Amino acid sequence: MWQTNLKVLAVVLGTLAVFTIVSSSIPQLQSVVPEDLSFSGDVTAEVLVAAGQTLFEGAGGCADCHGSGTRAPNLLADEAGTGLIGVRCASRVAGQDCKAYLYASLVDPNAYLVEGYVPIMADMSRTLSSEQLWALVAYLQSLGGEVTVTGADIESEGSGESTGAAVPASAAAAGPTSTSTDPVEIMTANACLACHIMDGAGAPIGPSFDGIGGRLSADYIRESILDPRAGASEGFGALIQLMPATFGEQLSAAQLEAIVQFLTDRR
Amino acid sequence: MNGARRWPVCLGGIGLVTLLTLVSPDGLLAQEISRSYGDFPLIGSRAAVWIAAQVHLLFAAFVLGVPMFAVVAEAIGIFGKDRKYDKLAKEFTRLLLVAYSATAIWGAVLSFLLVTLYPRLWVYLTQIFAPSMWVYAGLFFLESFTLYLYYYGWDRWAEGRAKMMHWGLGIMLNVFGTIVMFIANSWLTFMMSPPADVTPDTSPDMVQFWSAFANATWMPINIHRMIANVVFGGAIVGAYAAYRFLTAETDEERAHYDWMGYVGNLIAIGALIVLPFAGYYLGREIYEFSPGMGQTLMGGFMSWLWIIQAFLIGVLFLAGNYYLWVGMGRIPGAERFTPYTKYMLVVLVAGVIVWATPHTMIASRAEIAAMGGTYHPFLGVLGVMSAKNTAVNIMILTTFLSFLLYRRANKEPVVEWAKTGTMIQGVLFVVCAGIVIFYGIYGYFVTAIVRIGFSVYQVLAVIATIFSVLAIDIAIGRGAKSRGAIRWGQMPERSQYALFILAVTFTWLMGLMGYARSGIRQHWHVWEVVRDTSEFAATPALGYASQIISVCVLIFFGLVAFIFWVGGLAEKPVLSGVGSEGGD
């Protein structure tokens, strides 16, 4: 009896060991989490290209399609005699320069379909921020062409871009990083838009800030920020716990008043 | 009966789960969730939830798979007037009772861990799915009470109309169980393939319930899981029987458990044969939902996983066939077929090798650059889908042939056309293999879209062959003379260890595919909607995953062993005395 038990145990453990060892002896690849990028206005081309390359080979997932030949045009080498991507980009669509074409092929990939391929590429702006998109464009340009992406491109496209990376907790934990009394800056520093929507940016976890001044009085708004547990807004009862209750300590009186004033004015 | 002692455990487990599932978001008020993630000591939140979910799922698969064939076995007992199947069905069901409470307990553990470790995601999901969670809890109640009636009423409602009603209970048990699974599947498939109109900016209140519920991968997962559960249930029952066989004290017991192990294995392998088709369907839907996701799954960082999968399936095919071949030793007349087994072995091994050849393989970033982004020169020919489809179809055909020989072993057909019939069967086999190979080769000369169509022809050819050959075989077997009854129980012990390997491998494979399905979301809780911002956002590599999977499998088998041991303490199941009957 015990001998049988031991034998069974040995077979089970042995099988598990073989599977575990085999799985551990192949190349170990783990998925790459994209890093949030932020560039200053005078960012250099090298920085952009390097960031774009990392993204292209890793978290962007581009290489899964573009690295394997038949499913998507080759972006690292010549494609059907049209040259490297940094060169052919300029001649793909009449009237579109290289930069514009590459950007368009990321955010609206099916507008121009490279011949011989099916429209399987997704709109990358769904998952990538404007910084990331432009870094990719810069990298692709660098493959045979001249990098013309600058900090200005990123800024002009960059406002109000949401990557779905709503980060309520880390945002709430971040604490005040600014002593400014500019309401937008304070709200950015405290990541209010991680949970609230304003002008189309932010995440819809709490009530929208659009038109909030028309709905609520200054007193009520102040109260909501200082003591969010006091009363839930309609439709958010379950989420009342999400609004951090620590802003009363984090914000100076002047900052608080600046936000309250700002929000009250958003009718 | 020791059943009474088990009641409190079952009720406790069910109570826990129900309580939990009924916790509406408001119920969370008692708990601070001004944070998105909790911490779990030592192994971290991801591993904690992973293990809880996997072990829960293994038990759940078992309690969903076993009732399916318990009901079928009971029906064979009723309509075929064969008592031994009725006894078998009851013994299956006895295993269910205890497994059921384990399912509930692990479900409770999983829910608690989700609430405490992933509160933001939990709130998000409950906002969309709350009503279905209530229905889920209600059905869970219905399901468990149906199970109690089904098991404890077995001997009371044993005859006539009462027996039919009892069988009806078994069917209801399956219906409830299946709905419960479909509901739970909607939650996890939503995380994988949320409707296209749901974006990070969509408030969860605004998500249409039905479109979230019946999302793109919901049905494929439902079907895939249903079949896999049968495979899994069969394998575990097989392992249980193998253990009882090895520790049996009488010949009668040995005969009974030998037969039970055979049935379990047959169910497992039979259902395994259709599983790849469900797998293709699922894969196609994933690809259609998001080509990027499909591409990452097949050719991205997960590409190596398929080699491990092929390796495991190879182990399954080989162990399953080995068991059949060894089993021929207990069938008078089977000696005629033993020379063929070595050829079948060669075909199987060749099939495994082709199937395990990687397709698009991204070994390292440097390698992609080095290859200029094309196929690896050595992998190109064998690695593409054409070759793989061909290999797996041939392996299925071979396994089916093993089974046929096994069936035929002790029969001496009496019908006049037996010879012709057998020749027709042979021709069907050859034609089918020809079709499979023809399209396999032709597949190299056409575009991908056309090639996908080819795999359908291959599959259809195999299915048609299996059914027609089996039909002919049944007709040939009519009134066949027996070359001697199967000597149930006269089975070398090594064959039983093959059953253990089968069960462990199936379980491990389920863990692996679970990792694939949920890991493909990468740094998203809900694909491209709710981002994972925890320290565990990345999907870990296979080595780490394999350790977690092994731990889950160990926990599962440890608990199963304990449960069966406890169950066996007081009860000596009535044996069915198949030793003297024979037949399959």
Side-chain angles (χ1 to χ4, degrees):
Chain A
M1 176 84 178
W2 277 111
Q3 221 182 348
T4 309
N5 285 345
L6 283 180
K7 269 197 223 159
V8 171
L9 190 67
V11 168
V12 172
L13 290 179
T15 314
L16 290 180
V18 169
F19 295 164
T20 310
I21 291 169
V22 171
S23 304
S24 305
S25 56
I26 57 171
Q28 298 295 308
L29 305 173
Q30 69 165 34
S31 78
V32 194
V33 181
E35 277 172 50
D36 285 334
L37 300 177
S38 69
F39 302 116
S40 56
D42 53 357
V43 60
T44 63
E46 286 76 41
V47 171
L48 285 171
V49 169
Q53 177 167 10
T54 309
L55 200 57
F56 182 88
E57 291 168 353
C62 320
D64 291 347
C65 288
H66 286 289
S68 64
T70 55
R71 284 213 197 280
N74 199 326
L75 291 181
L76 300 175
D78 170 70
E79 165 74 20
T82 50
L84 292 166
I85 184 68
V87 178
R88 66 181 188 253
C89 54
S91 52
R92 282 286 195 215
V93 179
Q96 231 173 17
D97 68 359
C98 176
K99 190 163 77 176
Y101 170 73
L102 287 177
Y103 188 79
S105 63
L106 293 180
V107 299
D108 192 4
N110 304 332
Y112 171 81
L113 213 55
V114 180
E115 203 182 304
Y117 296 97
V118 279
I120 53 171
M121 182 164 157
D123 167 8
M124 290 296 159
S125 67
R126 229 180 116 100
T127 49
L128 299 177
S129 69
S130 157
E131 285 83 358
Q132 292 169 322
L133 290 173
W134 283 110
L136 282 168
V137 171
Y139 169 62
L140 292 174
Q141 281 191 320
S142 79
L143 298 171
E146 190 200 340
V147 180
T148 56
V149 179
T150 64
D153 291 310
I154 300 170
E155 271 165 16
S156 64
E157 295 285 339
S159 61
E161 204 61 56
S162 163
T163 64
V167 202
S170 54
T177 48
S178 147
T179 49
S180 153
T181 49
D182 171 46
V184 177
E185 224 174 296
I186 307 167
M187 288 170 49
T188 312
N190 287 286
C192 309
L193 296 197
C195 299
H196 295 278
I197 288 193
M198 188 163 79
D199 294 334
I205 292 174
S208 166
F209 284 169
D210 294 336
I212 186 171
R215 284 189 291 124
L216 305 172
S217 69
D219 283 344
Y220 187 93
I221 291 179
R222 189 178 301 111
E223 174 79 16
S224 302
I225 299 174
L226 291 177
D227 184 9
R229 312 288 186 269
S233 358
E234 207 175 335
F236 291 85
L239 289 174
I240 191 166
Q241 295 288 323
L242 276 177
M243 168 90 183
T246 49
F247 288 130
E249 290 143 38
Q250 287 176 10
L251 301 173
S252 70
Q255 288 179 320
L256 176 66
E257 282 321 305
I259 299 183
V260 172
Q261 200 50 52
F262 174 78
L263 290 179
T264 316
D265 287 341
R266 295 183 58 85
R267 290 170 191 282
Chain B
M1 287 298 278
N2 63 336
R5 246 181 291 147
R6 274 192 237 116
W7 275 83
V9 184
C10 306
L11 285 180
I14 293 159
L16 268 179
V17 157
T18 324
L19 198 123
L20 255 166
T21 346
L22 287 175
V23 170
S24 70
D26 290 321
L28 291 169
L29 286 180
Q31 186 209 346
E32 274 293 334
I33 50 159
S34 48
R35 56 195 182 118
S36 300
Y37 301 102
D39 286 318
F40 196 85
L42 289 174
I43 54 171
S45 324
R46 175 181 60 198
V49 166
W50 184 347
I51 292 174
Q54 188 60 59
V55 176
H56 170 63
L57 190 113
L58 292 175
F59 275 107
F62 182 69
V63 301
L64 287 174
V66 171
M68 286 193 219
F69 48 80
V71 161
V72 174
E74 191 182 11
I76 299 179
I78 297 174
F79 302 108
K81 307 230 178 326
D82 191 343
R83 296 288 299 169
K84 81 173 188 271
Y85 279 95
D86 193 70
K87 292 264 160 55
L88 185 71
K90 187 173 174 198
E91 192 168 359
F92 285 157
T93 312
R94 193 166 65 85
L95 302 184
L96 274 183
L97 279 186
V98 258
Y100 219 82
S101 44
T103 314
I105 291 167
W106 281 91
V109 172
L110 172 60
S111 319
F112 277 137
L113 289 181
L114 277 177
V115 175
T116 52
L117 301 179
Y118 290 86
R120 177 167 61 104
L121 172 66
W122 177 261
V123 168
Y124 180 85
L125 289 178
T126 49
Q127 267 186 292
I128 299 173
F129 286 110
S132 69
M133 290 176 168
W134 303 326
V135 174
Y136 182 88
L139 281 167
F140 206 92
F141 259 115
L142 279 179
E143 190 190 358
S144 32
F145 282 98
T146 313
L147 176 67
Y148 295 139
L149 283 177
Y150 187 56
Y151 181 71
Y152 291 104
W154 206 291
D155 296 325
R156 167 157 309 183
W157 300 309
E159 302 299 334
R161 295 228 330 244
K163 183 66 180 169
M164 292 309 291
M165 187 207 79
H166 181 261
W167 187 55
L169 278 175
I171 292 176
M172 289 318 290
L173 180 62
N174 278 289
V175 171
F176 292 140
T178 306
I179 300 177
V180 163
M181 180 183 77
F182 279 20
I183 293 178
N185 285 353
S186 76
W187 309 331
L188 62 96
T189 51
F190 169 80
M191 290 169 68
M192 198 175 162
S193 55
D197 58 353
V198 179
T199 68
D201 302 331
T202 317
S203 155
D205 307 310
M206 303 307 289
V207 176
Q208 298 270 318
F209 176 78
W210 185 249
S211 73
F213 190 87
N215 59 76
T217 54
W218 181 57
M219 219 6 115
I221 287 268
N222 285 343
I223 292 172
H224 195 283
R225 280 200 161 165
M226 211 143 68
I227 301 171
N229 289 347
V230 175
V231 177
F232 184 65
I236 300 299
V237 162
Y240 166 79
Y243 183 76
R244 300 298 295 250
F245 176 92
L246 291 173
T247 54
E249 276 157 15
T250 64
D251 283 347
E252 194 195 11
E253 229 180 295
R254 227 178 320 259
H256 173 78
Y257 287 111
D258 184 10
W259 178 68
M260 185 168 175
Y262 165 77
V263 175
N265 181 50
L266 190 67
I267 292 170
I269 300 286
L272 177 68
I273 286 179
V274 274
L275 204 52
F277 307 138
Y280 285 141
Y281 173 38
L282 174 59
R284 210 193 63 200
E285 292 295 314
I286 291 179
Y287 203 87
E288 212 143 86
F289 167 73
S290 160
M293 187 194 259
Q295 201 61 30
T296 309
L297 191 64
M298 302 309 297
F301 81 100
M302 279 213 173
S303 51
W304 278 94
L305 179 133
W306 303 101
I307 296 167
I308 304 293
Q309 190 217 32
F311 170 66
L312 291 172
I313 296 195
V315 170
L316 289 178
F317 270 112
L318 288 172
N321 278 284
Y322 174 78
Y323 176 80
L324 282 178
W325 298 336
V326 173
M328 288 195 185
R330 55 166 141 56
I331 312 181
E335 318 77 60
R336 313 172 264 155
F337 299 134
T338 27
Y340 301 119
T341 51
K342 53 178 177 292
Y343 301 117
M344 296 198 281
L345 183 65
V346 170
V347 172
L348 282 178
V349 170
V352 173
I353 291 174
V354 172
W355 204 17
T357 306
H359 177 206
T360 35
M361 177 70 55
I362 295 172
S364 70
R365 291 180 201 178
E367 202 177 296
I368 308 174
M371 298 191 313
T374 43
Y375 290 120
H376 193 291
F378 299 122
L379 308 177
V381 180
L382 292 179
V384 298
M385 220 52 219
S386 271
K388 283 178 208 255
N389 283 341
T390 309
V392 75
N393 279 304
I394 295 287
M395 277 156 73
I396 290 175
L397 269 186
T398 310
T399 306
F400 178 62
L401 182 64
S402 279
F403 170 66
L404 266 194
L405 296 184
Y406 187 99
R407 265 180 63 91
R408 194 59 88 72
N410 69 339
K411 295 206 181 85
E412 189 143 18
V414 288
V415 289
E416 276 159 34
W417 51 277
K419 256 214 149 65
T420 333
T422 310
M423 271 168 63
I424 295 177
Q425 285 179 314
V427 169
L428 283 172
F429 259 105
V430 172
V431 168
C432 178
I435 294 177
V436 168
I437 292 172
F438 170 76
Y439 279 116
I441 295 173
Y442 194 17
Y444 283 95
F445 301 99
V446 295
T447 63
I449 302 290
V450 182
R451 196 180 314 132
I452 292 173
F454 284 1
S455 70
V456 176
Y457 302 144
Q458 293 179 317
V459 165
L460 286 180
V462 170
I463 292 185
T465 307
I466 288 183
F467 277 108
S468 47
V469 168
L470 198 61
I472 297 177
D473 212 57
I474 290 172
I476 292 185
R478 273 268 144 76
K481 272 215 302 271
S482 173
R483 291 169 179 262
I486 299 183
R487 299 182 290 261
W488 290 113
Q490 292 186 19
M491 185 77 164
E493 290 203 347
R494 58 197 152 91
S495 63
Q496 304 299 307
Y497 292 104
L499 289 183
F500 283 113
I501 292 179
L502 275 173
V504 171
T505 309
F506 273 129
T507 317
W508 212 88
L509 184 56
M510 283 179 67
L512 183 72
M513 298 332 280
Y515 156 75
R517 188 197 51 69
S518 111
I520 193 58
R521 283 185 277 113
Q522 301 174 67
H523 50 277
W524 299 96
H525 289 312
V526 178
W527 177 252
E528 297 188 348
V529 176
V530 181
R531 180 147 170 194
D532 186 343
T533 55
S534 73
E535 58 178 309
F536 297 117
T539 300
L542 253 176
Y544 175 79
S546 70
Q547 291 166 20
I548 299 272
I549 297 167
S550 291
V551 167
C552 293
V553 174
L554 263 187
I555 296 179
F556 175 72
F557 277 101
L559 285 174
V560 166
F562 176 73
I563 286 170
F564 289 169
W565 175 69
V566 171
L569 274 186
E571 196 160 353
K572 276 266 161 283
V574 196
L575 298 177
S576 57
V578 286
S580 52
E581 288 173 36
D584 47 22

